[in-house]
């Protein structure tokens, strides 16, 4: 059974999420950012996904994301009442994998959680000998390790999935709709921020090693792997 950490200071919302998911997953609850980090760092329990509110006592949600990303690529779905574009872009830039705006539809929460965990399960079932290589980048699909010039690169779950998708089909131009469907496992509703931010972060993390933007924009169409030397 997958382990989910719910970090939400509103007791009613925390319990609502717990009741929604506890039949399918093992749930751990935290009610502040500080408590969340203590649990994450000291429990010895491996979490498969984190549902995280932003407006928390103690450490806020952004601080929690930044701390977790120093050591872990666990999927993080942000739950936020902050609907402005800059906030949503910001949490994706610092390492969140996805976000759901409050007030939320419980069906959407369940669908997003299942989508992210399904990606993890697919990776876990991958043949241990599956290694992808593109130029100086090597990807171990089983361990989800990425090396560039034999140096480890830390990617979030979605950044990793995007990179694998592009390298597996180097000549294909992927529209945003196809990327969202294949990587996020959900219907695309024209949310450019999520895809653009993840691709921007992927480019940034690898550019020092590739000396180019590894993903190129095909204007008016989508994105593809940059195979130009």
């Amino acid at each position: 059974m997958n382990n989910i950490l719910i970090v939400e200071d509103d007791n009613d919302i925390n319990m609502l999420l717990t009741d929604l998911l506890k039949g399918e997953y093992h749930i751990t609850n935290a009610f502040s950012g500080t408590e969340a980090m203590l649990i994450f760092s000291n429990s010895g329990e491996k979490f498969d996904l984190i549902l995280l509110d932003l407006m928390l006592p103690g450490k806020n949600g952004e601080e929690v994301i930044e701390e977790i990303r120093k050591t872990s690529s666990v999927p993080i779905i942000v739950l936020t009442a902050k609907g402005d574009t800059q906030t949503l872009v910001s949490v994706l830039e610092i390492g969140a994998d996805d976000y759901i705006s409050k007030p939320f539809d419980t069906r959407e929460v369940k669908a997003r959680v299942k989508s992210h965990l399904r990606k993890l399960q697919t990776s876990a079932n991958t043949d241990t000998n599956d290694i992808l290589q593109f130029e100086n980048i090597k990807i171990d699909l089983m361990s989800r390790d990425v090396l560039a010039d034999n140096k480890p690169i830390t990617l979030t779950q979605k950044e990793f999935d995007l990179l694998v998708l592009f390298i597996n089909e180097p000549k294909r131009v992927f529209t945003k709709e196809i990327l969202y469907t294949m990587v996020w496992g959900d219907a695309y509703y024209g949310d450019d921020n999520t895809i653009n931010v993840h691709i921007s972060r992927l480019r940034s993390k690898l550019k020092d090693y590739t000396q180019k933007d590894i993903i190129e924009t095909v204007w008016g169409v989508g994105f593809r792997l940059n195979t130009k030397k």
Side-chain angles (χ1 to χ4, degrees):
M1 183 178 285
N2 292 114
N3 294 316
I4 296 178
L5 175 61
I6 296 174
V7 190
E8 167 63 66
D9 65 316
D10 185 306
N11 186 72
D12 290 339
I13 296 177
N14 201 313
M15 291 303 101
L16 171 64
L17 292 168
T18 299
D19 290 341
L20 179 68
L21 301 171
K22 67 181 181 182
E24 299 179 65
Y25 311 106
H26 179 262
I27 304 299
T28 300
N29 305 91
F31 296 87
S32 73
T34 304
E35 181 185 13
M37 288 313 305
L38 287 172
I39 292 172
F40 187 83
S41 302
N42 301 325
S43 69
E45 187 170 17
K46 178 184 179 296
F47 292 102
D48 300 294
L49 185 140
I50 297 173
L51 286 173
L52 177 69
D53 185 29
L54 288 184
M55 300 176 68
L56 295 166
K59 296 180 184 294
N60 63 36
E62 289 91 340
E63 292 172 318
V64 171
I65 294 170
E66 290 177 332
E67 286 200 31
I68 288 175
R69 283 292 172 256
K70 292 176 183 178
T71 60
S72 173
S73 60
V74 59
I76 299 173
I77 301 177
V78 165
L79 301 169
T80 178
K82 297 180 178 180
D84 62 286
T85 299
Q86 185 52 49
T87 296
L88 300 179
V89 169
S90 176
V91 297
L92 292 171
E93 286 181 336
I94 62 176
D97 293 278
D98 204 353
Y99 64 82
I100 300 173
S101 298
K102 294 180 180 179
F104 52 76
D105 186 320
T106 55
R107 294 170 299 179
E108 180 184 6
V109 174
K110 290 192 76 169
R112 295 287 184 94
V113 167
K114 284 185 177 180
S115 173
H116 284 269
L117 293 176
R118 185 166 58 244
K119 290 291 183 181
L120 288 181
Q121 187 61 43
T122 299
S123 299
N125 292 334
T126 302
D127 189 329
T128 57
N129 294 320
D130 273 343
I131 301 292
L132 284 181
Q133 182 91 37
F134 173 70
E135 297 181 357
N136 62 338
I137 298 171
K138 181 184 287 187
I139 303 172
D140 187 321
L141 296 176
M142 179 60 181
S143 66
R144 296 179 72 85
D145 289 331
V146 179
L147 298 177
D149 286 340
N150 292 317
K151 297 175 182 176
I153 306 296
T154 301
L155 301 181
T156 67
Q157 179 196 2
K158 297 307 182 188
E159 291 164 358
F160 180 93
D161 291 342
L162 283 167
L163 182 60
V164 168
L165 192 63
F166 284 115
I167 291 178
N168 268 328
E169 299 188 65
K171 295 182 179 180
R172 180 175 178 180
V173 178
F174 292 91
T175 65
K176 290 180 179 179
E177 181 177 5
I178 290 173
L179 287 175
Y180 204 86
T181 300
M182 296 182 72
V183 175
W184 276 262
D186 201 357
Y188 178 64
Y189 298 107
D191 183 3
D192 289 353
N193 286 333
T194 300
I195 294 172
N196 290 343
V197 169
H198 280 79
I199 287 180
S200 176
R201 283 176 55 84
L202 182 58
R203 286 169 170 163
S204 178
K205 288 181 179 182
L206 293 174
K207 194 165 186 178
D208 287 344
Y209 303 93
T210 59
Q211 307 305 314
K212 63 181 181 182
D213 285 335
I214 192 168
I215 308 301
E216 64 175 335
T217 301
V218 181
W219 295 106
V221 184
F223 303 93
R224 69 182 170 199
L225 190 69
N226 185 355
T227 57
K228 300 182 184 74
K229 297 295 186 181

